[in-house]
Structures are given as structure tokens and as C-alpha cells.
Amino acid sequence: MGVRSFNEECSYLEKISSCCWRIKKGFVSNMKVEGLFYVNDYLEKLMFDELRNSCRPGMVGGFLPGVKQIGNVAALPGIVGKSIGLPDIHSGYGFAIGNMAAFDMSDPQAVVSPGGVGFDINCGVRLLRTNLMEKDVLPVKEQLAQNMFDHIPVGVGSKGIIPMNARDLEEALEMGMDWSLREGYAWAEDKEHCEEYGRMLNADPSKVSMKAKKRGLPQLGTLGAGNHYAEIQVVDDIYEKSNASKMGIENKGQICVMIHCGSRGFGHQVATDALLAMEKAMKRDKIEVNDRQLACAHISSQEGQDYLKSMAAAANFAWVNRSSMTFLCRQAFAKIFNSTPDDLDMHMIYDVSHNIAKIEQHILDGKEKTLLVHRKGSTRAFPPHHPLIPVDYQLTGQPVLIGGTMGTCSYVLTGTEQGMQETFGTTCHGAGRALSRAKSRRNLDYQDVLDKLAEMGISIRVASPKLVMEEAPESYKNVTDVVNTCHAAGISKKCIKLRPIAVIKG
């Protein structure tokens, strides 16, 4: 098929509400289901500009816009419901980042695709509250930022300070946060406030390559680089007082700590290994896909099962990683305030994953189905009374943590019943890139970005100057636009707004 004009492409797109578009079958070849994406007016313009650019002469074989990737995912064997794009969607490997898709476990043709999870398996966000107020922190903000930077190893080649040998790693991969709890790096209640209770039970370290284990061993308890961070944040606004109170957030000005990171080089290697195995499985099983980056295998195949077991091990690695950094954050705060983490009330509000595939029960066409739900750059957002969320949040719905980028606000949302019906209980995960990393480095000046952060009263500690340009707020969509779109669509509800006062980055 030749290159279609922008107007021809748009004929397959239909606006069905003020913030939701439908992608009809035929937009790309072999679509099994329709697509759907959520945008407000501003994000809609970005989405269509990206599509328009891809329709220009000479763009064949270039980047795939997010909307095309939603369509290609809709063509995967065994997909059910719709291929869904969240408002922070942007181009990614295979799946767009911000694309969610579910596959029927009872269908022998249904597939699992590493591109639907991402290379940073179980990249996610956790939020700690404290009983400190902004006025308590401001006089010591610089010392606190430096102390956190000193405690948490950051940057591409950073090595962890949590003692870890090969046997410890095997146990951590299998046990997840149970390992952290046993070793004294987590509190018992941290587990209660974590998706999957911080442990995927199907993890099998024997399915993980020695190369992945070698990459992971020195990196446990490290922040890494890219868009990962540890931030000291202030409660800036409370939209749902009773829900916020259930999370231990009572007042504006209260201090929280947000940690955003994943499975480091370990998860990257697990994904790389699986993609190579699946390319062979596709030839053997004659699986055809629209984009070779959507390499996949039947869920029931050896390759599919091996990936799910190794992915679960990488997810457990990420939870141990975040738990180790939580321990280090608590130590840093305790040192500065000459207190204990317990006395500072440094309890974990929640920990969410936004790069993961999980087996879940959902109602589809009036029947309960067992589905494999891929969430890449998207967050689980289960409603009130769902059995898989903690007792503390049965009345509020699952807390959903939406991290901003360096210098912008973050949000806590809650899951809704409407989201359960429309998106298999899924919402956005963050701001979503608007500029590529290379473009950010070309367009932005290191010192200008630092000066702007200083004007906003934000302390920053960063290991790499070029990262400052790559992660500047201008490189991303407006996180408030993204969150407001999800709120307006009813797939999650705004609860708390947080603004950063100190940022630790790689």
C-alpha cells in the first residue's frame, strides 16, 4: 500500500467525545480490534502534527507516530477490547509509550510482546509521606538534597551500596520485597502498599540469562539516569480531602518523597534476550505483525512462558531496587533531622508499576475473562472495592502516582469504575516526551535550565550536565494537560497535586 495523504489517514479517525478519539479498522492493515486514544485540545494538536509529519513525502520507513503504533498493536493476534492510547502517548519501541492492550489467555493464538512492556521492566513510582511541613525543610533544603544525593547512587554506571552477592540476587529475583523485608530494608507495611504486594509469584530466576544477572548485580539500589529521579515534594493542592486523608495527607505544605526508577540494566537485558528468542518463535509459528519491533510469541509457547517468568523476576528486581532507595531516603532524612524514619512518619503511600504485563480478571462483553494486560508507560488504576487493592484504599480506589518531570508538578489520582470498563483499569503514567533527547540537547542550554529551576526554588543535584537538557520541562508534554484529560474522561480522578523543591537525578 502506498503512502496515504493526511486527509485519507484522518478519515479513519473519529472524535467520540470531548477527549476521546476512535481509530477505525483499516487505519492500518490487519486490525483485529479498534483503537482508542484520549487527548485534550492541546494534546490532540501534538498527536495530529505527528501524524501529519509522517504522511509527508520521504517519511516512509521513518518514525512511527503514536497513533499508527496503536493501530499496529490492534493487529496483534488475540487482542481483545481495544488498543488504547493514554494522553501521555509518544513513539516507542513496538508499542507506543502510553499504549495499553489486553490479550485473551484462553485464545491459543494470543501473544505476549516485550515491546508492550518496555526495556525498563517495572519502571514505576513510589510515594512516601512525612509529618514534616515545607517550613521545616526550607532551612535545610540544600543539605537534605546533598545528603540524598550522597546516599543514593545515581548515573549510568552507578553501583549499589546494598551488600549483594550472586546468591542474594537469586533470592531477590524470586522474593521481591519479601527479600527487602527479610534483610531489613523495608517495613512490613511497605509491602501492603505496593502493587502485587511487591512480589510476582511466577518469577523464575533460572529463566534469566547470566548476562542479565551480571548487569543487575552491581546496580541494585541505584537510581540510574534518564527520566528517573528522587524528589522532595510539597503538597500543593488537595482535590479530594477524604481520599487524601486515607493516604495520610492532611494539609497543603506537607512534605513527601517520590522515587521513580525501574530494573536498570537487568530489565533491559531480559527484554533484549526475549526479543531475540521471539523473533525465532515467530518464524516457527508463522506469526505475522505489522512492525518487526512488535516481536511476540504465543502466551502458551515456551518462549512466551519463559519471558513472563523472566519479566516477573525483573519486576521483583525493580521492587527491591525501589525498596533499597526508600531505605536510603529514610536514612538521609533521619540524619538531617536527627530523628528516626518512624518518628518522621515516613510511611509509603503506594508503589505503582508502569511498564509491566500482568494476568488479571476483567469483564468483557458481560463475561469474566482472564486477560494478559500489557501496560507500557501506563498505570494500573483499579476502582474502589477491587480485591487487589489494599484494605486502606478500598473506599478511595487505588492510588495512582503520576510523576512530572524535573521542575514540574506530580499528581496522585485514584482509580474509577469507568476506567475499569473503558481501559481495563488503566490510566496515564506521566507527562510523555514532546521533544526527542537529541532535540532537547540541541534546543536547550544547560545553564538556562538550571537558572530557571533556581528561580522556581528547586534545588537540583545531577550527575550528568547533558541530562539536564534532556529532562528539562520543555522536553515534555504538560503533565497537568495529561492528568486533566484522564480526569475529564473519567478513567481516573484527581486527588493530590505535588510540586518539587529538590530533585536528585542521574
Side-chain angles (χ1 to χ4, degrees), residues 191 288 339-340 407 465:
K191 235 173 80 72
E288 292 187 8
S339 185
T340 66

Side-chain angles (χ1 to χ4, degrees), residues 162-165 167-169 171-172 175-187 220 320 323-324 327:
I162 302 288
M164 173 74 64
N165 59 34
R167 185 180 170 186
D168 289 325
L169 180 64
E171 291 177 349
M175 296 171 66
M177 279 179 68
D178 284 332
W179 183 87
S180 302
L181 193 57
R182 188 189 77 188
E183 298 297 316
Y185 299 119
W187 298 353
L220 208 51
V320 174
S323 293
S324 301
F327 172 78

Side-chain angles (χ1 to χ4, degrees), residues 12 243 255 283 352 371 413-414 426:
Y12 288 93
N243 287 356
I255 294 292
K283 286 178 188 166
V352 295
L371 306 178
L413 315 179
T414 50
T426 309

Side-chain angles (χ1 to χ4, degrees), residues 141-160:
K141 185 176 68 168
E142 291 299 331
Q143 297 100 297
L144 186 56
Q146 187 60 48
N147 210 27
M148 281 180 66
F149 190 69
D150 292 342
H151 272 68
I152 301 170
V154 301
V156 176
S158 54
K159 289 187 164 60

